[in-house]
Amino acid sequence: MTDESKQSIKGDRALGAGDEDRLGFREVAKRIAVSLVDRSTEDGLVIGLEGPWGSGKSSLLFLIDDELGKLPEHHRPTIIKFRPWLIGKRDALIASLFSDLFGQLDEMALKNGDATGVSVAKAKEAGEALRSFVKGLSKTGAFVEFVGKASGFGLVEMLGEGIKSAGEATEGEAAPPPLSELKDKLAHSLRELDHRFVVTIDDVDRLEPTEVIEILRLVRSVVDLPNMIYLLCYDSGILAHSIEKSAGVQSGHAYLEKIVQLTVMVPQPEPLQLRQWFADELHEIASSKNEDERLRLEGIIDFEGGRQLRTPRSVVRALDAMRFFWPPLSQAKADLADLVWLQLIKDGDTNLYRWIEDYCATSATVSLGTARVDDDERKRVLDKLLGILGKDNVQDAMFKYQMAEQLLGVEVDYAKDGVGLKIFSNISVHDHDKAVRDKRLASPDHYRLYFALASPSHVLSQEEFSSIWIAAEVGAEQAGEALLNLQSLVASGNLTKADLLFERVKGGAYEVLSPTQCENILVACSQVMDRAYWRRPFDVFWVSSFWDRAQRLVPSLLSRLDKPQRDETVAMIFKNGVAIGWLTSLLRHEIFAHGRYRHRAKPQSDWLFTDEQLDLIIPLMVSRYEAMSIQDLLSSPNPISVLFAWRQSGDEEGPRRLVEACSASDHGFVETMERFASPIQSSDRGRFKVLKEENIGPFMEFDSAKHRISLLVDHPVLGDRAKVLLMMLEDGSSY
């Protein structure tokens, strides 16, 4: 077998010439072939080759045909491969079988000499007897009676134009001999011919119920002739059901016993044989990347393979699935063990396969923070799983173990009686990030590869991921532009590809970065974070914003630098970074985390910077605040946060002076008040803005500001904006 053929999809077909006999059917076929010739009665015989669908009946039949063809020529029977399901019309079945028999007898008669031990004269005699019998059938209407019981078709439709013409040509001639006499003559000729005909009929159980009855009657009544051996392949359970449905009998099995004189059961392969067959051919298709993957693959083939690989067909289907799915997934560096597990389940239980697909999709959205699973939903999904699994699988510890191995958030309590399964449990950062790095089925970034050969729409591609590292190696400016580019690409809902990047880095990807890359990413953030806000505005007051994700990276990236480089980088970003809004959010976080302003200090694990670094940061930022113009303040993403950071850094007068300058004109005052507004989310009103005394009071006298707004309601230019501000003040008093 060539390397290309090993990778080719085999399809649901029987063994053919050159195919390997994986299950040792060849020896069985040899013995059956010998028995068909040496031990079969001359009176004719109907043998059933029985086995469930997928058990290898067609392959065994091919091997029997092959072994019959290897017998010595004088001993070799003539094989007629009758395939009724290939015939377009049911009324052509008998005509087709007789046509095949005609052809074989004519071929024997045309042969020169007696090499086969069959005389030309006897072959011709048998052929003439067969033609007379068929002609007699057409003239007496015997076919009408036979076929009418099964299908309602008449003589002409049954035998076709050739037989019809033969009947018409003899009109007016003397009456032919009785049909029984013609059949006796045919039987005598075939007996004298002393040559066996083996008629193989595959897939009898795939015919329509009415067609099944026709075939069985055909075999048992019309062409029940000497030296004619019929080898029928079928699943006895399915065939018996078709008989009961079509013939209206109580027991299809009893009916079948009247037709089939003996049965040969297709040998049932050892489960180990099937698993080894799958493992051997899988090794020709793919290989595991590392020892962990190999060990998981071994366990999956042993356990899940033992459950699903029950027939030769199931092995072929599973291997074909791997031949189809693995090449593209291999290029994506997916996990081989995960794919094998999923494909085995798909072939064995499509409902479970679909459940796994839904679970992975839901887990992915939960991991992104765009959805949550409440207790009622968790119970509904678990109940659906338990209904699919059934009692045996629910109580199978190994089955539950493998589910937990493949799917994040699935937990097993082995000590608990009964179900002992939990789903959508909390997932550790380590497990999540490892699944992403290894491109596992459980990875929210990669699960769709396994179901649709495509990444989820929200996935950060490896090319996009790598683009940041390449840019960060070059410089901070290039890293900043690469970040802005990713931030312009929507992943899911309000999430961008840059959000996904930050989550990936926080999860452990920073560990592979060089100190230069870490420094350039930090500097890039200090330069572009405000631009990122204005390109795609978000609620800076809310949790898990783009700024928050960048902020959480700071300690991890700094940890990759040595102390001198770390201190130098911190000083650089706070002294020169133009993203004053984002830098202000870092400063305020640290002021509260370190307990510097009316708050108890948080654990150091929550700090972004050390005390010494914060002592350096505060004067740097205060000096930048003091140098801000009115326009600098009002054009920042969050002016009120800048003012509070300035105030909380120890300078209460500086912010008030700047606000007074901003409010010197009526236009400046209105704009300042608008920028002081805070967003609010309400279940009945949705999203709106309010003006709160707690935001205005620290920087100007609140009642005076309120009175000034009321006076501006009648302003010819600013009146409408003042009315909105009054509504914000009214709403702010309620929140």
Side-chain angles (χ1 to χ4, degrees):
M1 186 179 296
T2 65
D3 290 340
E4 289 185 2
S5 65
K6 292 175 182 177
Q7 304 300 326
S8 300
I9 293 175
K10 307 304 180 185
D12 185 15
R13 63 173 180 80
L15 285 178
D19 289 339
E20 184 178 358
D21 173 27
R22 284 276 184 179
L23 301 176
F25 280 5
R26 174 70 69 177
E27 291 302 314
V28 178
K30 285 180 181 179
R31 293 182 175 88
I32 293 175
V34 170
S35 293
L36 286 175
V37 174
D38 290 348
R39 297 180 178 84
S40 297
T41 174
E42 292 183 356
D43 292 333
L45 187 64
V46 180
I47 300 174
L49 190 59
E50 294 189 6
W53 283 359
S55 61
K57 296 186 299 296
S58 297
S59 293
L60 181 55
L61 187 61
F62 164 78
L63 293 173
I64 293 171
D65 286 349
D66 192 50
E67 289 301 321
L68 286 171
K70 294 178 180 179
L71 293 174
E73 193 169 357
H74 69 280
H75 210 49
R76 187 184 308 155
T78 295
I79 301 171
I80 299 174
K81 298 177 182 178
F82 186 47
R83 301 294 180 261
W85 50 273
L86 293 175
I87 300 169
K89 297 181 180 179
R90 291 180 294 176
D91 57 5
L93 286 171
I94 294 179
S96 175
L97 179 57
F98 277 130
S99 175
D100 288 342
L101 188 53
F102 278 139
Q104 292 296 333
L105 288 171
D106 285 345
E107 184 177 339
M108 292 171 64
L110 288 173
K111 287 184 177 180
N112 295 321
D114 252 356
T116 63
V118 179
S119 69
V120 174
K122 289 183 178 181
K124 286 184 176 181
E125 181 183 336
E128 288 301 322
L130 179 60
R131 285 175 173 80
S132 298
F133 177 60
V134 172
K135 185 185 294 186
L137 284 172
S138 68
K139 294 181 70 67
T140 62
F143 271 19
V144 175
E145 178 184 0
F146 175 80
V147 178
K149 293 179 181 178
S151 64
F153 285 102
L155 167 65
V156 174
E157 293 87 349
M158 193 66 195
L159 291 179
E161 293 301 320
I163 300 300
K164 176 183 177 184
S165 299
E168 291 175 346
T170 58
E171 286 183 5
E173 297 180 3
L179 187 62
S180 59
E181 183 180 325
L182 293 173
K183 184 175 181 181
D184 288 343
K185 184 177 180 181
L186 174 59
H188 175 76
S189 297
L190 290 174
R191 199 180 301 277
E192 285 294 312
L193 190 60
D194 193 26
H195 181 78
R196 293 196 187 280
F197 294 85
V198 177
V199 181
T200 63
I201 308 179
D202 198 5
D203 293 327
V204 179
D205 49 5
R206 294 184 185 276
L207 296 170
E208 291 293 325
T210 53
E211 294 172 334
V212 167
I213 294 297
E214 289 174 9
I215 288 294
L216 294 178
R217 285 175 174 167
L218 168 68
V219 167
R220 196 71 183 113
S221 301
V222 179
V223 284
D224 176 22
L225 298 166
N227 287 315
M228 296 285 291
I229 302 172
Y230 292 89
L231 193 55
L232 312 182
C233 287
Y234 53 83
D235 179 320
S236 60
I238 294 172
L239 192 62
H241 178 73
S242 294
I243 293 170
E244 292 165 5
K245 184 176 180 181
S246 180
V249 298
Q250 185 173 2
S251 173
H253 288 285
Y255 185 101
L256 192 58
E257 288 175 358
K258 292 288 187 179
I259 308 294
V260 179
Q261 282 97 349
L262 65 88
T263 59
V264 176
M265 305 298 294
V266 176
Q268 183 173 334
E270 291 287 340
L272 177 60
Q273 280 183 294
L274 296 174
R275 296 199 304 274
Q276 191 61 48
W277 173 11
F278 177 80
D280 288 345
E281 293 210 20
L282 179 64
H283 188 57
E284 302 291 342
I285 300 168
S287 59
S288 52
K289 296 187 293 289
N290 50 50
E291 183 66 6
D292 171 68
E293 187 179 74
R294 188 194 67 78
L295 290 173
R296 285 187 292 107
L297 180 60
E298 179 182 328
I300 287 167
I301 293 176
D302 186 53
F303 177 75
E304 199 61 39
R307 287 175 8 96
Q308 307 297 353
L309 301 177
R310 300 294 185 88
T311 66
R313 176 175 295 152
S314 65
V315 175
V316 171
R317 287 175 61 86
L319 288 169
D320 276 349
M322 295 305 301
R323 291 185 180 98
F324 184 80
F325 284 100
W326 180 245
L329 266 66
S330 175
Q331 294 177 5
K333 301 188 184 307
D335 188 89
L336 177 62
D338 285 358
L339 180 63
V340 169
W341 181 75
L342 189 65
Q343 291 304 315
L344 288 174
I345 284 177
K346 182 184 69 174
D347 285 342
D349 191 339
T350 54
N351 290 328
L352 179 56
Y353 173 85
R354 289 301 184 191
W355 184 93
I356 293 169
E357 183 177 19
D358 291 341
Y359 181 85
C360 290
T362 303
S363 295
T365 57
V366 170
S367 74
L368 290 173
T370 57
R372 62 183 296 270
V373 177
D374 58 25
D375 291 340
D376 289 341
E377 177 68 5
R378 185 179 287 105
K379 183 179 184 304
R380 184 192 69 79
V381 176
L382 180 58
D383 287 345
K384 183 177 180 180
L385 172 63
L386 299 180
I388 292 170
L389 294 181
K391 183 178 180 180
D392 291 342
N393 285 333
V394 170
Q395 294 180 347
D396 191 321
M398 181 56 71
F399 179 84
K400 291 186 288 188
Y401 167 79
Q402 286 203 344
M403 282 207 68
E405 276 285 287
Q406 310 305 128
L407 304 176
L408 290 178
V410 175
E411 293 183 355
V412 184
D413 184 353
Y414 299 105
K416 183 177 180 180
D417 293 334
V419 177
L421 264 180
K422 293 182 180 179
I423 59 173
F424 296 121
S425 300
N426 291 330
I427 301 168
S428 71
V429 174
H430 174 271
D431 289 345
H432 173 275
D433 294 331
K434 189 175 188 307
V436 172
R437 287 197 305 272
D438 295 344
K439 300 178 176 61
R440 296 285 304 275
L441 171 65
S443 164
D445 290 2
H446 303 95
Y447 78 93
R448 268 181 58 83
L449 280 172
Y450 295 83
F451 296 98
L453 300 180
S455 297
S457 58
H458 66 266
V459 159
L460 182 70
S461 72
Q462 189 61 42
E463 181 180 356
E464 292 165 334
F465 192 63
S466 299
S467 68
I468 296 294
W469 304 155
I470 295 172
E473 191 66 39
V474 176
E477 182 179 351
Q478 290 80 358
E481 291 302 319
L483 278 174
L484 291 176
N485 179 59
L486 286 182
Q487 203 250 351
S488 67
L489 302 176
V490 177
S492 175
N494 292 324
L495 290 175
T496 70
K497 293 291 185 77
D499 287 294
L500 299 182
L501 172 76
F502 286 161
E503 285 297 305
R504 183 82 63 82
V505 175
K506 179 179 70 69
Y510 69 89
E511 295 176 353
V512 303
L513 298 180
S514 68
T516 298
Q517 289 173 312
C518 291
E519 178 182 332
N520 285 336
I521 290 173
L522 285 167
V523 174
C525 288
S526 75
Q527 298 294 335
V528 304
M529 277 295 136
D530 287 11
R531 286 170 60 191
Y533 171 83
W534 290 117
R535 282 191 177 192
R536 191 179 184 83
F538 46 82
D539 186 355
V540 296
F541 293 94
W542 192 237
V543 296
S544 297
S545 69
F546 185 52
W547 279 6
D548 293 325
R549 290 188 173 88
Q551 172 184 293
R552 289 194 289 267
L553 287 185
V554 171
S556 298
L557 295 175
L558 285 175
S559 70
R560 299 287 294 162
L561 312 180
D562 59 28
K563 189 177 187 308
Q565 187 180 10
R566 192 160 54 238
D567 293 341
E568 182 181 340
T569 301
V570 169
M572 184 190 310
I573 62 178
F574 282 96
K575 183 178 181 179
N576 302 322
V578 299
I580 196 73
W582 182 67
L583 293 172
T584 293
S585 71
L586 299 185
L587 173 59
R588 294 194 68 195
H589 177 278
E590 289 304 275
I591 286 174
F592 293 122
H594 288 250
R596 297 289 184 96
Y597 186 82
R598 300 180 184 175
H599 282 77
R600 181 180 299 171
K602 294 182 179 181
Q604 291 190 17
S605 59
D606 194 54
W607 294 5
L608 304 177
F609 307 104
T610 65
D611 266 326
E612 293 79 7
Q613 289 168 342
L614 184 57
D615 289 338
L616 173 67
I617 291 168
I618 289 175
L620 286 175
M621 290 298 289
V622 168
S623 66
R624 297 190 67 179
Y625 294 147
E626 290 173 343
M628 290 180 74
S629 66
I630 296 172
Q631 189 57 39
D632 290 336
L633 175 66
L634 297 182
S635 63
S636 68
N638 191 2
I640 192 71
S641 183
V642 170
L643 294 171
F644 272 111
W646 189 356
R647 187 170 187 267
Q648 290 157 358
S649 295
D651 185 354
E652 295 192 5
E653 292 304 316
R656 294 182 68 91
R657 287 195 299 270
L658 186 55
V659 170
E660 288 176 5
C662 291
S663 306
S665 67
D666 289 339
H667 185 277
F669 172 71
V670 169
E671 185 175 3
T672 300
M673 291 297 99
E674 290 172 338
R675 299 292 281 129
F676 273 28
S678 302
I680 292 290
Q681 185 76 29
S682 170
S683 58
D684 55 341
R685 291 181 57 184
R687 191 174 180 80
F688 59 98
K689 288 185 175 183
V690 300
L691 274 172
K692 298 181 180 181
E693 182 176 359
E694 63 192 60
N695 286 347
I696 298 174
F699 309 109
M700 65 174 64
E701 210 283 321
F702 178 72
D703 289 335
S704 297
K706 186 175 181 181
H707 179 66
R708 186 175 178 181
I709 292 172
S710 65
L711 294 177
L712 290 171
V713 168
D714 297 324
H715 192 282
V717 177
L718 301 174
D720 290 341
R721 293 167 68 182
K723 292 175 184 177
V724 173
L725 289 173
L726 280 178
M727 292 177 58
M728 289 182 182
L729 284 168
E730 183 178 346
D731 289 334
S733 63
S734 303
Y735 289 90

